[in-house]
């Protein structure tokens, strides 16, 4: 019968015949000051048989185990010298240290200082699941160890002990304090083919950041040709980092991309600059600047800065990935500060624009006015008897961006105020809110006004009142739909608004524009945004909607609605500039549902009773039944704007195991049962297509494939983007993501493209 004897080096000593003798205390050994605090912990040794000399050496045989703080040693035979706290183990040695597992035939380690060596070990790192083997491993301390002639991989070996990818190194240092691995004399092999060699290569051991050179990036597009980049990541501080990326553009020359980020308790920002000192194709220096910063100056004051600038009009086409704006030909710079008090919000802003014109498309870009400056304040307060008072006062100096024809865009100053007083009555079943508002503006122009009522004058002012009454009801009943208990609502809404006619002809239009009329905006009392134009109205807007709400979860399963506006008199100030005598407006219909599990469908229609046809329709459908599975479809048709566009996006598995238990990502044990599955993987199709069906033109197309091999992910993505009427930029990107090591990019960064353009896209490692 197997018997176990437990030995404590702090309290016991063994007699020669193997029985417990009188307690004896081991003598302390010299150790660095940093290890002294750990000496108080006990060391426990257990085995089938134990023998030795008290206070000197103890030998344990048969399933021997030694425990000391966070190190555990298993072996066939294990000896422990109490004089220098040295443990020696032979035969099936297994060491558990900081969660890592190291196996091999022979070990020697000083357990107080964690210094020692391991012959021909194999290891598993707990932080990322990576495995490897080496000729020798040297433990430097509790946070660092070094292996010689070693390998490193996160892949499960196949039946022939081959891995999909493997990093071999003459010397590999594991440093948990810095969260990095450093491979010297490194060679990276993928499918047993060497794809990268480097004298030194560093990589993170976990998701934490670390400084070092990142894998080089190879890109290609039809504007700049081949591009090679070598990014260096600098982890400056926990709240600050930078990435410096020297690059070579085959057609243009040398370049440098710089990104600096910081995030503190009172400030955070991002600075990016792309610089090509000498562009051989353009024969000049090129740059793109993107700067943003948000600062909390005090508990009540914020300061925000946003700057986007490029060197020339063609930059957005030649370096289309470096502009950093959703409107690549209209770039905004904005500095604003906001102060929030108990009752008031005050603000100041300077806003400027850079307009990238083109010989072919110049007429398509109309620049907005610059504000230099904009100063204002606003408040909304509740007085006695539930009176709600709102006020906004603002001063603006409007100027034109460089290159804008001055004759077509008059400049000047405007002082305006918008005030309102209302008294809402609100209950769960109904609500009514009468409101009286005023829009006042005074203008001081740089030049005389050219036309209209104020022609020949530099100064003008006007005051326009508006009265409105908004009422709504919510009626509910219990019902059963689709076999589920539902709560159905019926929600009528009626809004009346009256604004007298005021002649505004000839006044400048600094910031007013027609509002896109939708199911919600049709209730607004003014069809213009901004301050400069206020339409005369005498109208009633009536709408009706119904909702189905799941009684158990409160989730909205279905919503339907329709709304129409009726003019009580003709409207003289309209967005299209003509007098509107059409009494009944178009009918707007809305529908949305999530009845189909994991899906969402939204649709709006604008129907013209006068022309008996649909004027505009927008349909969006999304279906996401699980991780890395998403389909989206959009359709937008506008007869007035003569446009019709279809968009489609997707990420979906097309071949390979779909159950998580079948996937190699969950088969890293290395057992014989899973080694045969090491080359199983899943193929995914991913893409986005936006097409103008009226012109039969593809505006933007992205097509790609992803392969998830468990310990690595491969992506190939091609993109074609329109940059003009008959101009396109085409690029292709390949990315190899080695789990636990890094990502290698060949071409445009596929991950960044997919995140930015495919709705619902999920990186496979997430």
């Amino acid at each position: 019968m197997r018997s176990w004897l437990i030995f404590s080096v702090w309290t016991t000593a063994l007699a020669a015949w193997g029985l417990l003798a009188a307690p004896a205390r081991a003598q302390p050994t010299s150790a660095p000051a940093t290890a002294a605090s750990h000496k108080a912990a006990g060391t426990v040794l257990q085995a089938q048989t134990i023998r030795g000399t008290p206070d000197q050496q103890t030998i344990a045989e048969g399933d021997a185990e030694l425990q000391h703080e966070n190190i555990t040693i298993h072996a066939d035979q294990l000896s422990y010298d109490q004089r220098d706290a040295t443990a020696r183990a032979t035969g099936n040695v297994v060491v558990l240290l900081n969660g890592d597992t190291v196996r091999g035939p022979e070990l020697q380690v000083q357990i107080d200082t964690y210094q020692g060596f391991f012959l021909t070990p194999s290891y598993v790192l707990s932080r990322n699941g990576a495995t490897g083997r080496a000729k020798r491993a040297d433990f430097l301390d509790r946070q660092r160890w070094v292996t010689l002639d070693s390998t490193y991989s996160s892949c499960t070996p196949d039946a022939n002990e081959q891995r999909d990818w493997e990093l071999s190194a003459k010397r590999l240092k594991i440093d948990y304090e810095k969260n990095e691995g450093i491979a010297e004399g490194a060679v990276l092999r993928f499918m047993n083919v060497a794809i990268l060699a480097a004298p030194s290569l560093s990589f993170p051991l976990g998701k934490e950041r670390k400084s070092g050179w990142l894998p080089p990036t190879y890109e290609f597009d039809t504007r700049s040709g081949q591009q090679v980049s070598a990014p260096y990541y600098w982890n400056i501080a926990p709240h600050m980092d930078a990435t410096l990326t020297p690059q070579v553009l085959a057609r243009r020359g040398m370049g440098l991309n710089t990104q600096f980020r910081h995030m503190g308790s009172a400030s955070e920002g991002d600075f990016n600059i792309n610089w090509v000192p000498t562009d051989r194709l353009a024969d000049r220096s090129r740059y793109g600047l993107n700067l943003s910063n948000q600062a909390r100056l005090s508990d009540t004051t914020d300061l925000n800065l946003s700057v986007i600038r490029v060197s020339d009009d063609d930059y957005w086409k030649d370096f289309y990935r470096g502009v950093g704006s959703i409107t690549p030909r209209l770039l905004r710079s904005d500095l604003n500060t906001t102060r929030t008090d108990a009752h008031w919000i005050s603000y100041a802003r300077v806003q400027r624009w850079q307009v990238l014109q083109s010989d072919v498309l110049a007429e398509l870009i109309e620049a907005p006015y610059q504000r230099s400056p904009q100063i204002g304040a606003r408040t909304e307060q509740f007085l006695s008897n539930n009176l709600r008072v709102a006020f906004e006062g603002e001063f603006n100096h409007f100027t034109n961006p460089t290159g804008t024809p001055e004759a077509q865009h008059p400049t000047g100053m405007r002082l305006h105020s918008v005030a309102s007083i209302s008294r809402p009555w609100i209950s769960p079943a109904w609500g009514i809110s009468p409101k009286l508002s005023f829009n006042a503006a005074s203008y001081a122009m740089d030049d005389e006004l050219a036309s209209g009522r104020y022609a020949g004058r530099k100064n003008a002012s006007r005051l326009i009142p508006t009265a409105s009454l908004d009422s709504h009801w919510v009626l509910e009943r219990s019902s059963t739909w689709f076999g589920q208990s539902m709560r159905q609502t019926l929600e009528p809404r009626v809004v009346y608004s009256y604004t007298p006619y005021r002649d505004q002809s000839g006044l400048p239009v600094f910031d007013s524009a027609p509002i896109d009329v939708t199911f919600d905006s049709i209730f607004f009392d003014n069809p213009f945004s901004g301050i400069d134009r206020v339409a005369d109205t005498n109208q009633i807007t009536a709408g009706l909607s119904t909702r189905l709400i799941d009684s158990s979860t409160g989730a909205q399963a279905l919503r339907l609605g329709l709304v129409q506006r009726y003019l009580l008199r003709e409207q003289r100030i309209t967005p299209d500039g003509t007098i509107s005598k059409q009494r009944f407006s178009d009918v707007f219909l809305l529908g949305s549902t999530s009845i189909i599990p994991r899906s969402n469908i939204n649709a709006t229609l604008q129907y013209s009773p006068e022309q008996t046809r649909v004027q505009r329709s927008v349909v969006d459908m999304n279906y996401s039944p699980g991780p890395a599975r998403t389909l989206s479809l959009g359709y937008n048709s506008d007869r007035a704007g003569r446009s019709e566009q279809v968009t489609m996006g997707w990420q979906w598995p097309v071949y390979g195991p779909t159950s998580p238990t079948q996937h190699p990502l969950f088969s890293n044990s290395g057992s014989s049962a899973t080694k045969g599955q090491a080359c199983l993987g899943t193929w995914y199709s991913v893409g986005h297509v936006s097409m103008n069906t009226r012109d039969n033109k593809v505006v933007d197309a992205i097509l790609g494939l992803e392969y998830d091999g468990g310990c690595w992910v491969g992506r190939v993505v091609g993109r074609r983007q329109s940059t003009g009427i008959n101009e396109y930029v085409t690029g292709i990107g390949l990315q190899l993501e080695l789990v636990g090591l890094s990502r290698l990019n060949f071409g445009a960064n596929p991950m960044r493209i997919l995140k930015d353009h495919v709705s619902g896209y999920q990186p496979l490692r997430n």
Side-chain angles (χ1 to χ4, degrees), residues 228-229 245-249 252-257 274-278:
V228 181
S229 304
T245 308
Q247 61 178 185
V248 178
L249 296 84
R252 301 186 183 276
M254 303 291 293
L256 176 65
N257 295 343
N274 303 324
W275 180 45
V276 178
T278 304

Side-chain angles (χ1 to χ4, degrees), residues 4 64 110 116 164 203 274 284 329 332 335 397 423 516 630 668 742-743:
W4 289 84
Q110 192 175 40
D164 288 353
F203 53 90
N274 303 324
R284 62 177 180 268
R329 297 182 60 194
R332 187 185 69 174
L335 173 64
H397 181 208
R423 202 311 185 177
D516 185 22
T630 183
N668 284 331
S742 187
R743 295 190 182 111

Side-chain angles (χ1 to χ4, degrees), residues 735-747:
Q735 184 178 76
L736 180 60
E737 179 180 353
L738 306 178
V739 178
L741 188 66
S742 187
R743 295 190 182 111
L744 303 177
N745 292 321
F746 305 88

Side-chain angles (χ1 to χ4, degrees), residues 106-148:
E106 184 176 348
L107 165 74
Q108 178 176 309
V109 62
Q110 192 175 40
I111 62 174
D112 283 349
T113 62
Y114 292 83
Q115 295 177 345
F117 65 87
F118 212 137
L119 298 182
T120 60
S122 61
Y123 59 87
V124 178
L125 304 185
S126 60
R127 293 196 178 190
N128 54 20
T131 64
R133 54 192 181 277
K135 183 177 181 180
R136 176 186 172 102
D138 291 310
F139 298 102
L140 306 181
D141 53 42
R142 67 180 67 237
Q143 295 292 335
R144 285 171 286 271
W145 49 291
V146 175
T147 62
L148 303 178

Side-chain angles (χ1 to χ4, degrees), residues 511-559:
D511 60 4
S512 281
I515 293 177
D516 185 22
V517 184
T518 64
F519 185 89
D520 296 312
S521 66
I522 195 173
F523 287 100
F524 295 173
D525 53 32
N526 186 18
F528 294 95
S529 63
I531 298 297
D532 299 305
R533 289 294 181 269
V534 180
D536 57 309
T537 61
N538 188 8
Q539 62 188 27
I540 296 176
T541 307
L544 181 67
S545 62
T546 181
R547 292 183 296 159
L548 289 181
I549 301 174
D550 192 312
S551 299
S552 59
T553 65
Q556 178 177 287
L558 177 68
R559 183 190 179 195

Side-chain angles (χ1 to χ4, degrees), residues 7 55 72 89 181 199 246 295 318 371 375 401 500 572 680 693:
F7 170 78
D55 297 331
T72 302
D318 296 339
R371 301 173 189 259
I375 303 173
R572 301 175 64 181
L680 289 178
T693 56

